[in-house]
Amino acid sequence: AASVEVNGTYDISGLNRTVKNLSGSGFIQSSVSTAHLTVDSNSAHTEFTGVIGSSIERLIKVGNYTLTLSNQQLFVGDVLILEGALKANLTNASSVEVNGTYDLNGVSSSLNNLSGNGVVEDTADAHPTLSLNIEKESAFSGVLHSSLGNLTLNGAHPFTLSGINNYTGTIVTGK
C-alpha cells in the first residue's frame, strides 16, 4: 500500500482498499457499492482534514502511529482500531471496537456500540461526553480515561465495563 494524499475525490469503487499514511483535505467515497477502508499509519502520524463518506462501510485503523480525522465525518459504518491511535469525531459511526486508542479529540461522540480492550480518552482535555445507544449486548474491557466527561448509556441491552478504569465522570443511564 502506498501513502495516499487525498485533495480531490478518491473513489474506491466498491473495492476494499488499504492506504498508508492517509492525509489531505479531500473526500473518500465508494460510488459502486459499500467498501472497507484500511488505513495503515505505520511510519508517521498523519492528519486527514477531509471527509470519509457514508458509502464506506468499515474503517479499519492499523499501524502504531496516530491518524487524526479532524473534520466531522459522514461515515456511518463500523470502526475497528487494531493498533495505534485514531483521533476523530465519530459521531455518526455505528460501532467502534477499540484495541488501540480512540481519542475523542475534544468532541462529544454518540455511538451505537463500544467494544474492545483498548483505551478511550480525550487528549484535548475538553471532557467530552461519550454517548452509547446500545443496540446489542456488548462489553468494553479496556480503559475509559479520566479525561472523558459524562458517559451516557441508552438502549435496552446490557453494556459491561470490565477493564481497570480511572474514569471519574458521571455515568448517566437512559432507557
Side-chain angles (χ1 to χ4, degrees):
S3 292
V4 174
E5 181 175 350
V6 178
N7 288 311
T9 297
Y10 177 44
D11 188 345
I12 63 176
S13 301
L15 301 172
N16 296 336
R17 298 281 185 180
T18 298
V19 298
K20 188 174 181 181
N21 301 326
L22 178 65
S23 64
S25 59
F27 182 72
I28 300 174
Q29 69 177 9
S30 179
S31 62
V32 176
S33 65
T34 57
H36 296 186
L37 176 65
T38 300
V39 179
D40 182 351
S41 301
N42 204 17
S43 61
H45 298 294
T46 59
E47 181 173 13
F48 181 64
T49 60
V51 175
I52 298 174
S54 61
S55 59
I56 304 301
E57 181 177 53
R58 187 166 217 200
L59 175 64
I60 302 165
K61 163 64 178 76
V62 297
N64 294 326
Y65 288 88
T66 299
L67 169 64
T68 300
L69 302 176
S70 55
N71 267 332
Q72 182 171 350
Q73 301 299 309
L74 298 176
F75 173 74
V76 294
D78 296 330
V79 176
L80 174 57
I81 304 168
L82 291 173
E83 302 171 300
L86 177 64
K87 292 174 89 166
N89 176 351
L90 298 176
T91 296
N92 298 313
S94 178
S95 67
V96 176
E97 181 178 337
V98 181
N99 295 308
T101 299
Y102 170 38
D103 184 340
L104 276 66
N105 203 24
V107 179
S108 292
S109 188
S110 180
L111 310 171
N112 290 334
N113 288 301
L114 176 69
S115 63
N117 59 14
V119 175
V120 179
E121 65 182 4
D122 176 50
T123 57
D125 205 26
H127 304 289
T129 295
L130 177 61
S131 298
L132 301 177
N133 303 308
I134 309 301
E135 291 187 335
K136 63 182 179 182
E137 184 173 347
S138 58
F140 181 68
S141 60
V143 174
L144 292 179
H145 195 270
S146 63
S147 59
L148 296 176
N150 290 342
L151 174 63
T152 303
L153 303 174
N154 294 301
H157 301 282
F159 177 70
T160 303
L161 287 173
S162 61
I164 298 173
N165 290 286
N166 63 3
Y167 176 70
T168 57
T170 301
I171 298 177
V172 178
T173 57
K175 54 181 178 171

